[in-house]
Amino acid sequence: MNTQKLLTTLFEYKAWANDTLFSALAALPPESHEREKHDAARILNHVYVVDRIFEANLERKPHDYKALNTTATPELADLRAAVRETDRWLLSYADTVSEAELAEVVEFTFVDGSAGRMSRGEMLAHVVTHGNYHRGAVGRILSQIGVPPQRDTLTVFLHRPEHLRADPI
């Protein structure tokens, strides 16, 4: 498997795992667990912001983020829609990036003002692993309120029945 195919698979997985998690949050009763939903939204919004920052870095474009989260917490439905849009962009990018582009080093500035320098491949790897880490934190919040753990691992994604392979984004 070449790097581009692996990245495409990882970003397909990321979109699927995000959608799985947002579905679990949407299934919570509307008037319950407000604090946990808020905490989950803050974490997932942080992931979204970081994804957007790295999208801008990959495009060598400036972004307007001054921190790794926004002051206001979006509604989960609005955040889900925004995450889906960003997941589509990342998947398209991963599907079309060349091996030479993956090796290209891009200089950028972190939100704290320090200089950053990463290859495009390193940036994409960061986006995938960063999202995994924080989805796990949200999964822990859900387990503390009695929601069974999400079966959102890469192995489950790769081996789910073909009829469930509908594009979540």
Side-chain angles (χ1 to χ4, degrees):
M1 175 182 288
N2 69 27
T3 305
Q4 181 193 25
K5 174 64 177 149
L6 176 60
L7 285 170
T8 297
T9 299
L10 290 174
F11 280 99
E12 287 171 342
Y13 160 68
K14 180 182 186 310
W16 172 82
N18 283 339
D19 202 60
T20 298
L21 187 55
F22 274 104
S23 291
L25 289 164
L28 293 174
E31 302 294 324
S32 68
H33 307 295
E34 292 302 316
R35 182 68 199 167
E36 289 84 358
K37 286 186 231 179
H38 178 266
D39 291 347
R42 293 298 301 161
I43 292 167
L44 294 171
N45 193 57
H46 161 71
V47 174
Y48 168 73
V49 167
V50 171
D51 285 359
R52 293 299 310 241
I53 288 169
F54 277 94
E55 177 184 332
N57 293 343
L58 288 163
E59 292 186 309
R60 293 183 188 256
K61 292 182 179 177
H63 58 78
D64 294 329
Y65 295 103
K66 305 294 182 222
L68 297 175
N69 211 332
T70 57
T71 304
T73 303
E75 294 294 323
L76 278 169
D78 295 335
L79 181 57
R80 184 180 198 174
V83 166
R84 279 182 169 166
E85 181 181 325
T86 301
D87 282 345
R88 275 192 288 273
W89 187 93
L90 288 163
L91 179 56
S92 176
Y93 186 87
D95 198 40
T96 58
V97 68
S98 71
E99 291 289 329
E101 289 170 319
L102 287 171
E104 181 185 1
V105 173
V106 177
E107 295 186 11
F108 56 89
T109 304
F110 287 104
V111 295
D112 68 0
S114 63
R117 188 173 193 274
M118 297 171 75
S119 73
R120 292 175 185 278
E122 290 168 338
M123 284 191 257
L124 292 170
H126 172 71
V127 167
V128 168
T129 58
H130 178 254
N132 283 351
Y133 174 82
H134 288 296
R135 277 193 308 277
V138 174
R140 181 73 178 142
I141 291 169
L142 290 174
S143 72
Q144 289 173 340
I145 60 172
V147 176
Q150 301 303 298
R151 293 188 37 87
D152 64 355
T153 63
L154 180 61
T155 55
V156 170
F157 172 76
L158 293 173
H159 298 287
R160 69 198 189 288
E162 286 296 322
H163 70 279
L164 293 178
R165 290 190 184 241
D167 183 9
I169 59 174

